[in-house]
């Protein structure tokens, strides 16, 4: 004979309008060691008890006055409690069809009258064990959600959340937006000053999604900042030299064979742009309605081959000209019929916007939302816009430019 339960953990509710049945069930439960047993005479009393206190299992009669077992099950289903509260139906042999209907409503099992003690023990044990496992899973998922929320907050804190207002000492208008497809993602961008005062910026996209991509993203971002600080103390930053060093570091110990596409650029206060592209989507140079991709200095993605030699290309931004950088989550976003947004539509959206960086990002985000509509998003999305302000500061700019961290 199986040893009785010795811990008084589970709380069981017995619902039956027959006094003898309630007594018999409570006696069996007591013999099996279940010490927290509450009884109800009918469905209405059961509903009141269920609203007032928690239970781990319900033994529910089918046919009862006032509110029967069907009514109690319907109430539990409407509450959404059947996902975590097992209900075992109690029925006479000639009520099996009703029991089947109850199981279709959400009951997990049934017992026939008169009760078989061995069968009762087995049904109770199995149902309570399933509940225990489900409770553990829910607790684990809740803990993971809390950790992912914390990870998302940390990741969002790693990207610049505000930029200095444009002015004579900072002649750049900057705006950015990022939206992971999951709680955390592998897209990244950064904007920071080099030791000589030049503006360094980059945008990247790590292979994969979720926590591994986010960790690889964090490593990439940290490496770029550190290498730039170390290599650009005596002379202006060289994008190719910085990216070559970062690539070698990312390849070291990369057993998971992850990689990141990345565009890295340096802007001088006078508008000279130096840049290097490691397998990333070419950003756009924007001069009024003239939209031109920067296709020079293309190289291999980072993290794959440590001996790759990267090149630096140069361009000069006139006052008022800007750059728009993005990850492939923008152009590869699909609508309800699985059509991608594509480069042509992105260029059209950029060609029709005002000259501020925030207007560029907002226009693309709005066009993307109108194109995708209710289609699920499967990739991270990041955008970064920079504009060299005219020397006269004739264009209106906000005093503080905040980054958009989520695209609706």
């Amino acid at each position: 004979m199986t040893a009785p339960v010795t811990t008084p953990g589970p709380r069981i509710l017995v619902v039956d309008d027959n006094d003898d049945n309630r007594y018999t069930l409570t006696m069996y439960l007591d013999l099996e060691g279940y010490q927290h047993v509450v009884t109800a005479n009918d469905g209405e009393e059961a509903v009141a008890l269920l609203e007032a206190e928690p239970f781990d299992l319900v033994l529910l009669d089918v046919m009862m006055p006032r509110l029967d077992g069907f009514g109690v099950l319907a109430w539990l289903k409407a509450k959404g409690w059947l996902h975590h509260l097992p209900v075992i139906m109690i029925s006479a042999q000639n009520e099996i069809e009703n029991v089947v209907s109850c199981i279709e409503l959400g009951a997990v099992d049934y017992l026939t009258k008169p009760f078989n003690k061995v069968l009762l023990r087995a049904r109770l044990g199995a149902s309570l064990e399933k509940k225990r496992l489900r409770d553990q899973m829910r607790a684990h998922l809740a803990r993971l959600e809390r950790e992912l929320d914390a990870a998302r907050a940390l990741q969002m804190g790693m990207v610049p959340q505000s930029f200095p207002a444009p002015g004579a000492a900072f002649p750049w208008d900057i705006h950015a937006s990022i939206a992971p497809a999951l709680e955390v993602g592998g897209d990244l961008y950064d904007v920071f000053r080099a030791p000589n005062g030049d503006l360094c910026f980059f945008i990247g996209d790590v292979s994969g999604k979720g926590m591994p991509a986010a960790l690889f993203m964090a490593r990439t971002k940290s490496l770029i900042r550190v290498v730039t600080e170390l290599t650009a103390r005596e002379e202006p930053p060289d994008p190719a030299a910085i990216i070559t060093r970062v690539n070698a570091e990312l390849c070291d110990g990369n057993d998971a064979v992850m990689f990141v596409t990345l565009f890295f650029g340096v802007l001088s206060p006078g508008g000279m742009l130096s840049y290097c592209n490691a397998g990333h989507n070419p950003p756009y140079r924007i001069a009024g309605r003239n939209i031109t991709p920067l296709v020079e200095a293309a190289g291999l993605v980072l993290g794959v081959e440590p001996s790759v030699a990267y090149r630096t290309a140069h361009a000069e931004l006139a006052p008022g000209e800007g750059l728009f950088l993005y990850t492939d989550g923008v152009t590869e976003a699909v609508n309800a019929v699985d059509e991608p947004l594509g480069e042509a539509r992105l260029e059209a959206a950029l060609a029709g916007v005002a000259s501020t960086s925030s207007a560029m990002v907002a226009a693309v985000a709005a066009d993307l939302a109108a194109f995708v509509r209710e289609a699920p998003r499967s990739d991270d999305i990041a955008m970064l816009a920079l504009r060299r302000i005219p020397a006269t500061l004739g264009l209106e700019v906000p005093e503080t430019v905040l980054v958009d961290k989520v695209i609706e």
Side-chain angles (χ1 to χ4, degrees):
M1 178 177 177
T2 303
V5 177
T6 57
T7 57
R11 291 179 53 82
I12 299 175
L13 175 61
V14 175
V15 187
D16 199 310
D17 63 322
N18 185 283
D19 294 339
D20 291 337
N21 289 338
R22 290 198 308 274
Y23 174 78
T24 302
L25 272 174
T26 54
M27 181 186 66
Y28 282 171
L29 293 171
D30 182 66
L31 290 173
E32 290 297 324
Y34 296 105
Q35 300 178 21
H36 290 273
V37 180
V38 180
T39 61
N41 297 325
D42 56 41
E44 288 189 359
E45 188 175 333
V47 166
L49 287 168
L50 288 165
E51 284 187 315
E53 52 188 305
F55 289 94
D56 296 296
L57 184 140
V58 179
L59 290 166
L60 179 63
D61 191 16
V62 175
M63 306 305 295
M64 294 181 294
R66 296 204 296 174
L67 184 65
D68 60 15
F70 293 107
V72 176
L73 276 177
W75 178 82
L76 287 169
K77 186 174 183 179
K79 287 280 191 178
W81 292 356
L82 289 176
H83 295 294
H84 62 270
L85 178 62
V87 178
I88 298 178
M89 302 309 298
I90 304 170
S91 171
Q93 288 286 358
N94 59 358
E95 297 171 356
I96 293 301
E97 291 183 0
N98 288 337
V99 172
V100 171
S101 298
C102 289
I103 290 178
E104 291 175 348
L105 281 172
V108 298
D109 210 333
Y110 72 92
L111 288 168
T112 57
K113 305 173 185 177
F115 307 114
N116 181 288
K117 186 175 181 180
V118 176
L119 187 59
L120 172 63
R121 182 191 306 123
R123 298 282 172 84
L124 286 172
S127 297
L128 288 170
E129 177 64 11
K130 289 178 182 178
K131 182 185 187 304
R132 185 186 66 83
L133 293 175
R134 286 196 298 267
D135 289 345
Q136 286 183 347
M137 183 177 296
R138 276 192 296 271
H140 179 66
L141 290 175
R143 184 170 63 254
L144 285 179
E145 288 179 1
R146 291 193 299 270
E147 292 175 354
L148 286 173
D149 287 342
R152 178 184 175 85
L154 288 172
Q155 184 182 27
M156 292 299 99
M158 293 186 66
V159 298
Q161 300 183 37
S162 63
F163 303 103
F170 192 84
W172 301 289
D173 170 27
I174 307 172
H175 200 74
S177 176
I178 188 167
L182 303 176
E183 288 81 358
V184 291
D187 282 10
L188 68 153
Y189 70 82
D190 199 6
V191 179
F192 59 95
R193 301 290 287 273
N196 72 332
D198 286 352
L199 182 72
C200 299
F201 61 94
F202 65 85
I203 193 167
D205 185 357
V206 178
S207 59
K209 302 178 188 65
M211 191 62 71
L215 292 174
F216 201 79
M217 177 273 277
R219 184 185 179 198
T220 302
K221 178 183 180 296
S222 299
L223 280 172
I224 292 175
R225 286 233 180 186
V226 170
V227 172
T228 302
E229 179 71 25
L230 291 176
T231 60
R233 290 179 176 175
E234 305 297 333
E235 55 188 23
D238 178 8
I242 293 170
I243 293 306
T244 298
R245 177 71 178 273
V246 170
N247 175 62
E249 294 293 334
L250 289 176
C251 290
D252 186 23
N254 185 16
D255 297 333
V257 197
M258 299 189 71
F259 63 87
V260 55
T261 69
L262 188 126
F263 182 93
F264 181 78
V266 178
L267 265 173
S268 72
M272 181 58 65
L273 170 66
S274 302
Y275 64 91
C276 177
N277 193 336
H280 197 75
N281 305 74
Y284 288 103
R285 178 177 180 175
I286 301 174
R289 298 186 64 86
N290 187 18
I291 313 297
T292 307
L294 296 176
V295 297
E296 301 296 328
L300 189 66
V301 299
L302 304 179
V304 175
E305 174 52 58
S307 61
V308 174
Y310 294 91
R311 297 185 300 110
T312 295
H314 302 277
E316 186 173 359
L317 295 186
E321 290 188 346
L323 297 171
F324 180 80
L325 298 80
Y326 65 98
T327 56
D328 60 11
V330 175
T331 51
E332 295 179 2
V334 296
N335 58 17
V337 293
D338 210 30
E339 294 174 338
L341 183 126
E343 286 79 7
R345 179 158 180 155
L346 173 59
E347 294 168 10
L350 290 170
V353 301
S355 55
T356 64
S357 60
S358 59
M360 282 190 273
V361 173
V364 174
D367 190 69
L368 182 62
F371 177 78
V372 172
R373 294 186 181 275
E374 301 300 323
R377 184 159 50 88
S378 60
D379 200 0
D380 307 328
I381 292 175
M383 295 182 282
L384 173 63
L386 306 95
R387 182 180 62 95
R388 182 188 173 194
I389 62 172
T392 58
L393 294 177
L395 296 176
E396 293 185 1
V397 293
E399 293 183 359
T400 302
V401 183
L402 296 178
V403 59
D404 295 329
K405 294 197 287 184
V406 177
I407 301 172
E408 298 294 341

